[in-house]
Amino acid sequence: MNDMRTPLADVYVSDCEGYDIQLLRELPIKDLGIKVVFIELLQQSATSNDKMATLLNQAVNIVTSNGFNRIVWDGNDFLSWLAPRESKSQKVEVEGFTNS
């Protein structure tokens, strides 16, 4: 992570075979200037639906707490980015998710 500090990273890509959420949790997203997060969040047959829901919820909480307001998950890959604000609303603009 220290190597990412100079120059700052715009995009974070992770495919770390099950450690992606743990790494994302430890990543200083704001300090590194990251604008796009792309991680493999594959629902494998060995992963229960409950565990996948927990991992997805953790990923959503991490990125929304860092100001990201757009998320796409296709069942395999998780993509999130900070879109320019189109309104003055303080509500997090993540379609299909609520920030509670």
Side-chain angles (χ1 to χ4, degrees):
M1 285 188 216
N2 285 331
D3 290 341
M4 295 171 62
R5 292 187 190 274
T6 308
L8 295 178
D10 289 327
V11 179
Y12 175 74
V13 178
S14 174
D15 181 5
C16 296
E17 306 306 326
Y19 294 97
D20 303 282
I21 300 299
Q22 179 181 347
L23 290 171
L24 185 62
R25 188 179 304 114
E26 296 175 16
L27 188 68
I29 292 173
K30 290 180 182 176
D31 291 344
L32 295 174
I34 293 172
K35 299 175 183 102
V36 177
V37 170
F38 182 86
I39 62 174
E40 182 185 60
L41 194 58
L42 174 66
Q43 182 168 359
Q44 301 170 353
S45 58
T47 303
S48 71
N49 287 339
D50 288 342
K51 182 175 180 183
M52 181 54 36
T54 298
L55 292 174
L56 184 57
N57 188 48
Q58 289 175 7
V60 168
N61 287 337
I62 292 166
V63 296
T64 57
S65 70
N66 280 281
F68 289 59
N69 57 359
R70 297 293 186 258
I71 295 173
V72 175
W73 181 60
D74 66 0
N76 184 53
D77 297 312
F78 178 91
L79 174 65
S80 183
W81 67 99
L82 176 58
R85 304 274 319 163
E86 296 176 5
S87 71
K88 295 183 184 202
S89 170
Q90 296 301 312
K91 185 175 179 184
V92 175
E93 298 173 4
V94 179
E95 294 179 23
F97 297 96
T98 57
N99 192 9
S100 43

